[in-house]
Amino acid sequence: QVQLVESGGGSVQAGSSLTLSCRAPPYIINNYVMGWFRQPPGKARSGVASIGRDGRITYASDSMKGRFTISRDNAENTVYLQMNSLKPEDTAMYYCAVGGGSTIMYMVPFDWGQGTQVTVSS
């Protein structure tokens, strides 16, 4: 089992920014697709963004593409999700994942982090 450790969640006002971090073993960061997923209360988990080992980045929607930025720091063995202009509908548990697949829509995770809660109030 891969150890993915997320951090950076919190409670913020609408319009604020947060940056989530996901630390993973070096062989994971360098060799697999890393993704962020989220699960709002009472809803299914869905993809947010992914970054491949070749640096290919995909987002689940245009709205996310315009407000969220996924990045990877190989030296720090960390994947980030910077979230700007947060909205109440972004409230969810956010999960880091590792797996395969060409885009976030087709990513097949084989392991997950424990999740970090993001709550956005209006």
Side-chain angles (χ1 to χ4, degrees):
Q1 186 173 359
V2 176
Q3 186 174 11
L4 304 176
V5 181
E6 300 116 328
S7 61
S11 296
V12 297
Q13 297 279 337
S16 300
S17 298
L18 279 175
T19 299
L20 307 182
S21 301
C22 173
R23 189 171 179 86
Y27 71 94
I28 291 295
I29 288 286
N30 293 325
N31 293 295
Y32 292 96
V33 177
M34 301 295 298
W36 285 97
F37 290 72
R38 69 184 185 183
Q39 186 167 14
K43 297 184 179 181
R45 193 175 301 185
S46 62
V48 174
S50 68
I51 183 166
R53 64 176 184 172
D54 60 355
R56 181 183 182 187
I57 291 174
T58 65
Y59 296 93
S61 70
D62 288 340
S63 173
M64 293 177 185
K65 185 178 182 179
R67 298 185 296 122
F68 296 175
T69 301
I70 189 171
S71 62
R72 182 182 63 213
D73 186 333
N74 289 347
E76 296 293 327
N77 302 317
T78 301
V79 174
Y80 301 97
L81 183 68
Q82 181 179 348
M83 304 184 293
N84 299 324
S85 303
L86 283 163
K87 305 175 182 180
E89 51 264 42
D90 294 317
T91 294
M93 184 72 79
Y94 283 72
Y95 296 91
C96 178
V98 56
S102 57
T103 70
I104 186 62
M105 300 305 292
Y106 296 102
M107 183 175 175
V108 181
F110 60 75
D111 211 350
W112 301 87
Q114 80 285 358
T116 185
Q117 178 67 39
V118 173
T119 302
V120 185
S121 57
S122 58

